[in-house]
Amino acid sequence: MRIDARGLTFEVRAGGPADGEAVLLLHGFPQHGGEWDEVVPALHAAGLRTYAPDQRGYSAGARPAEVAAYRLPELVADAVALLDALGVDAAHVVGHDWGAIVAWALAAGHPDRVRTLTAVSVPHPAAMAHALATSAEQKARSSYVALFRQPGTAEKTLLALDAAALRRMLGGVGGSDRVARYAEPMREPGALTAALNWYRAMSRADLAAVASVRVPTAFVWSDRDFAIGRAAAEACAAYVTGDYRLVELPGVSHWIPDVAPGPLAEAILARVGGTR
């Protein structure tokens, strides 16, 4: 389905019982709402209604040119506007990777719109900042961000030789068909630049403005994550004042929705069920 919001048009995958409690699923880089396809059947079976948008920059009709249009407050405002357009007062919110950052900020700034939060892979921004300041390991894990923030250079590097570097980065999602499912849309004109603009618009001020979260929260982290180390994962608890649980998935890579959809669905349902 397509939803018009804030002068943009978003592609949204919707499914599950029409009268079920709403779950908003926010994808990460460089993927799209289809990353949840293996997760949602269990949510639907549990009676939940799911909405998985291709977010700003990933929907062709929601791809502004200015880098500033991809600041975190804009991404959060999109999520609120989508809930408004769907007629959803409050949803269970699940976010992976960059989608987790949006989900954290949404829950912190609009707790009335978030029934529960399940953040996947990326911890609260303040926890991430703490780890970057105190952990040399986390600094090394996050070093790729410097490349992503370089206009032109990042696109050239990732798309050269039939997008070989982009495909290598996505190698952990599964077989070649699944890699192509995410890599090919990024080769469309302007698509990768729009996705990278999330990194280029990122500022310490916007991240620091994300307050502690008071809604019931689960943070799902995997110990084989190339981008997020244990220091950041364990720092997360300090920034949640509501009921909180850390769910660790041993032996799983960063691409949790793709490679561990069953355990992730269980974690989401446990968090949702804990509030019913």
Side-chain angles (χ1 to χ4, degrees):
M1 63 189 297
R2 291 180 178 173
I3 294 180
D4 294 326
R6 308 188 69 217
L8 304 172
T9 301
F10 295 88
E11 303 289 339
V12 180
R13 293 166 175 80
D19 60 350
E21 294 180 9
V23 181
L24 181 65
L25 299 158
L26 303 174
H27 67 83
F29 173 88
Q31 298 178 279
H32 49 64
E35 77 164 288
W36 303 105
D37 284 357
E38 303 301 318
V39 178
V40 294
L43 306 187
H44 298 164
L48 298 170
R49 176 73 170 171
T50 62
Y51 299 99
D54 292 351
Q55 296 186 83
R56 177 176 293 236
Y58 294 84
S59 288
R63 195 170 285 166
E66 304 82 4
V67 171
Y70 296 85
R71 289 181 56 212
L72 183 56
E74 298 293 341
L75 308 175
V76 173
D78 289 345
V80 173
L82 286 170
L83 292 177
D84 289 343
L86 290 165
V88 174
D89 292 332
H92 302 283
V93 178
V94 183
H96 172 242
D97 187 77
W98 255 108
I101 296 177
V102 177
W104 283 112
L106 175 63
H110 302 272
D112 57 315
R113 308 304 299 269
V114 180
R115 301 183 68 166
T116 67
L117 167 64
T118 303
V120 186
S121 297
V122 176
H124 189 286
M128 192 68 187
H130 173 79
L132 286 169
T134 60
S135 170
E137 178 193 14
Q138 187 56 58
K139 288 180 183 178
R141 287 175 181 265
S142 299
S143 60
Y144 67 91
V145 173
L147 169 64
F148 286 3
R149 287 171 64 90
Q150 296 180 37
T153 301
E155 288 89 338
K156 184 177 180 179
T157 300
L158 291 171
L159 295 179
L161 302 174
D162 192 32
L166 181 63
R167 294 178 192 277
R168 280 196 303 272
M169 187 185 75
L170 285 163
V173 303
S176 58
D177 288 349
R178 189 170 288 269
V179 169
R181 187 184 191 204
Y182 301 129
E184 289 306 314
M186 290 291 97
R187 302 179 70 191
E188 296 173 4
L192 181 58
T193 293
L196 289 167
N197 279 345
W198 287 49
Y199 291 91
R200 294 163 184 166
M202 179 174 57
S203 73
R204 291 184 180 180
D206 286 344
L207 295 175
V210 180
S212 294
V213 170
R214 67 172 188 261
V215 305
T217 298
F219 176 47
V220 183
W221 174 74
S222 48
D223 65 1
R224 298 282 181 88
D225 193 313
F226 64 85
I228 307 296
R230 184 170 295 277
E234 294 185 348
C236 194
Y239 303 97
V240 182
T241 59
D243 182 62
Y244 174 76
R245 55 191 69 165
L246 170 63
V247 180
E248 182 175 338
L249 301 181
V252 175
S253 74
H254 174 78
W255 312 103
I256 294 174
D258 291 279
V259 300
L264 176 56
E266 290 177 8
I268 295 168
L269 291 172
R271 179 68 283 176
V272 169
T275 63
R276 287 176 167 173

